[in-house]
């Protein structure tokens, strides 16, 4: 379930006019920016962008970039992008971050549907004049390159069919591959980058039944290099992406200093999808409401905007 609260009827022209007024004079009226953009769904936001440009002959995104600053500007900018374009931007930022960003590439490739991933790759072409897989391959090597390129170029079957015998065979292959730290990981990469999500879930369940521990637990114990960490993330995102996102949020707020980039990424990309479910998992795990945890960690207009996307107006 989504946390975004958007009106059923709205006037993109009136919103564009109110935003233009918010930018006039000394300083920006951030309250109006949050009140409008924090309550519009993806279709409504694209309509506002279109009308704004038609009326004022300037791109709304560029105006927002010049009017806002810091984490507030970054979160509003990413929120205003179409989902595929946002994923392209997130992927590019992750690639430039090196090993610190590989998990974001895996996240995008494993959480999105096949059609959504294809749309993100097209958006990447349009924005950066290169392919996503080209940039991933340029910045990685060895098993990690094979895994990441395989994930971002995958077009998985989306059906519910399961081959139980195959699940058993491939659970054993994964077990052998993980056990041998310096072994040949080609088969593990093949399984994770080609099988449907439903088939992979059956394989992970069979792994737990046959080997007495979850595949993620085994990998976590041995997550000593970038490849194994990426493998762990791929399995977690495929297994239960909501639990994965809960952990991303928890980690973003439990360190000294908040990881605003991770917090923004999850809130902005899931607010129209399943952020309410993720927030419920967060509460069960931490006995603190997500919006209360967020409110303690961040401040200013950034805090007001993120809380608005969480469905809590301030």
């Amino acid at each position: 379930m989504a946390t975004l609260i958007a009106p059923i009827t709205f006037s993109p022209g009136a919103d564009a006019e109110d935003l233009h007024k918010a930018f006039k004079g000394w300083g920006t009226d951030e309250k109006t920016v949050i009140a409008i953009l924090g309550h519009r769904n993806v279709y409504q936001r694209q309509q506002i962008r279109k009308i704004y440009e038609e009326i004022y002959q300037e791109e709304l995104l560029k105006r927002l970039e010049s009017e806002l600053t810091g984490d507030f500007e970054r979160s509003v900018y990413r929120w205003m992008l179409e989902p595929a374009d946002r994923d392209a931007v997130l992927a590019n930022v992750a690639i430039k971050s090196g090993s610190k960003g590989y998990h974001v590439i895996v996240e995008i490739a494993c959480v999105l549907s096949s059609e959504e991933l294809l749309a993100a790759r097209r958006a990447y072409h349009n924005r950066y004049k290169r392919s996503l897989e080209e940039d991933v391959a340029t910045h990685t090597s060895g098993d990690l390159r094979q895994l990441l390129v395989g994930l971002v170029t995958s077009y998985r079957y989306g059906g519910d069919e399961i081959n139980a015998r195959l699940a058993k065979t491939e659970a054993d292959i994964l077990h052998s591959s993980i056990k041998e730290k310096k072994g040949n990981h080609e088969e593990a990469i093949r399984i994770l980058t080609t099988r449907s999500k439903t088939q992979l879930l059956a394989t992970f369940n069979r792994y737990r039944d046959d080997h007495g521990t979850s595949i993620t637990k085994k990998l976590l114990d041995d997550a000593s290099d970038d490849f194994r960490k990426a493998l762990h993330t791929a399995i977690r995102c495929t297994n239960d992406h909501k639990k994965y996102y809960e952990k991303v949020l928890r980690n973003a707020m439990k360190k000294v200093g908040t990881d605003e980039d991770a917090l923004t990424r999850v809130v902005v990309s899931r607010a129209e999808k399943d952020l309410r479910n993720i927030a419920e998992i967060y509460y069960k795990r931490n006995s603190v409401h997500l919006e209360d945890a967020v409110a303690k960690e961040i401040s200013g207009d950034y805090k007001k905007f993120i809380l608005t996307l969480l469905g809590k107006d301030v």
Side-chain angles (χ1 to χ4, degrees):
M1 285 174 63
T3 51
L4 176 72
I5 303 163
I8 296 167
T9 57
F10 87 116
S11 166
D15 282 350
E17 196 177 324
D18 288 341
L19 285 168
H20 189 67
K21 283 180 195 164
F23 302 144
K24 278 189 161 184
W26 291 102
T28 309
D29 178 2
E30 289 90 353
K31 194 174 177 182
T32 296
V33 173
I34 294 167
I36 294 172
L37 300 182
H39 290 290
R40 300 293 182 268
N41 63 34
V42 63
Y43 169 75
Q44 293 166 340
R45 297 195 302 276
Q46 302 321 308
Q47 288 292 106
I48 295 167
R49 279 178 67 180
K50 184 168 174 281
I51 295 286
Y52 187 94
E53 190 167 351
E54 285 172 8
I55 297 173
Y56 302 108
Q57 303 299 302
E58 69 171 350
E59 284 185 38
L60 177 56
L61 279 181
K62 285 192 175 166
R63 190 61 193 259
L64 286 165
E65 274 187 294
S66 68
E67 294 286 337
L68 312 178
T69 57
D71 292 309
F72 179 43
E73 181 271 318
R74 260 189 301 278
S75 58
V76 172
Y77 180 87
R78 289 175 184 181
W79 175 245
M80 289 300 292
L81 295 172
E82 290 186 54
D85 205 20
R86 181 192 307 135
D87 289 327
V89 169
L90 290 172
N92 186 257
V93 170
I95 290 166
K96 287 177 179 171
S97 303
S99 61
K100 288 188 292 184
Y102 295 147
H103 64 286
V104 179
I105 305 290
V106 177
E107 187 182 298
I108 290 166
C110 294
V111 174
L112 298 184
S113 69
S114 295
E115 287 297 329
E116 287 169 337
L117 179 55
L118 197 57
R121 289 170 65 197
R122 282 200 188 103
Y124 200 97
H125 279 180
N126 295 336
R127 187 174 266 269
Y128 301 108
K129 311 308 175 199
R130 299 182 303 276
S131 72
L132 174 56
E133 54 270 31
E134 180 184 358
D135 277 0
V136 167
T138 301
H139 289 81
T140 52
S141 61
D143 287 336
L144 180 67
R145 175 191 282 166
Q146 275 193 307
L147 176 64
L148 294 184
V149 171
L151 288 173
V152 299
T153 56
S154 181
Y155 190 84
R156 299 178 194 275
Y157 172 62
D160 292 329
E161 291 84 353
I162 289 171
N163 182 328
R165 190 178 294 172
L166 187 65
K168 158 88 178 126
T169 305
E170 295 193 336
D172 290 340
I173 291 170
L174 288 173
H175 184 255
S176 300
S177 180
I178 290 165
K179 196 167 62 173
E180 294 172 30
K181 291 187 181 181
K182 292 182 180 173
N184 185 344
H185 298 299
E186 270 186 37
E187 284 296 276
I189 293 167
R190 174 188 63 78
I191 293 164
L192 286 168
T193 58
T194 62
R195 295 297 182 211
S196 74
K197 289 183 183 179
T198 312
Q199 182 65 37
L200 284 173
L201 288 177
T203 300
F204 301 155
N205 288 337
R206 188 61 194 250
Y207 184 105
R208 190 183 60 240
D209 293 345
D210 288 358
H211 301 287
T213 185
S214 73
I215 188 168
T216 47
K217 173 77 168 68
K218 180 64 182 161
L219 267 170
L220 195 60
D221 292 342
D222 298 332
S224 53
D225 57 34
D226 288 334
F227 170 70
R228 294 172 90 80
K229 285 174 188 168
L231 207 59
H232 181 259
T233 302
I235 294 167
R236 285 213 68 188
C237 287
T238 306
N239 222 351
D240 189 336
H241 72 267
K242 296 186 192 81
K243 278 189 180 176
Y244 166 80
Y245 280 126
E246 182 279 327
K247 189 167 186 186
V248 172
L249 289 170
R250 186 165 18 109
N251 288 344
M253 294 185 281
K254 79 175 185 185
K255 299 169 186 168
V256 177
T258 311
D259 183 351
E260 287 89 356
D261 217 47
L263 177 60
T264 298
R265 186 177 82 250
V266 177
V267 171
V268 163
S269 61
R270 306 316 295 180
E272 294 180 85
K273 294 183 175 179
D274 49 18
L275 189 54
R276 192 171 299 284
N277 309 87
I278 294 163
E280 285 166 5
I281 295 167
Y282 187 92
Y283 182 72
K284 281 178 190 167
R285 176 73 175 68
N286 305 284
S287 303
V288 178
H289 290 292
L290 178 57
E291 58 268 30
D292 293 337
V294 167
K296 283 182 183 173
E297 291 287 326
I298 56 178
S299 59
D301 293 314
Y302 175 54
K303 170 180 168 177
K304 289 171 190 169
F305 183 63
I306 292 294
L307 288 178
T308 299
L309 296 188
L310 281 164
K312 187 180 174 74
D313 283 324
V314 288

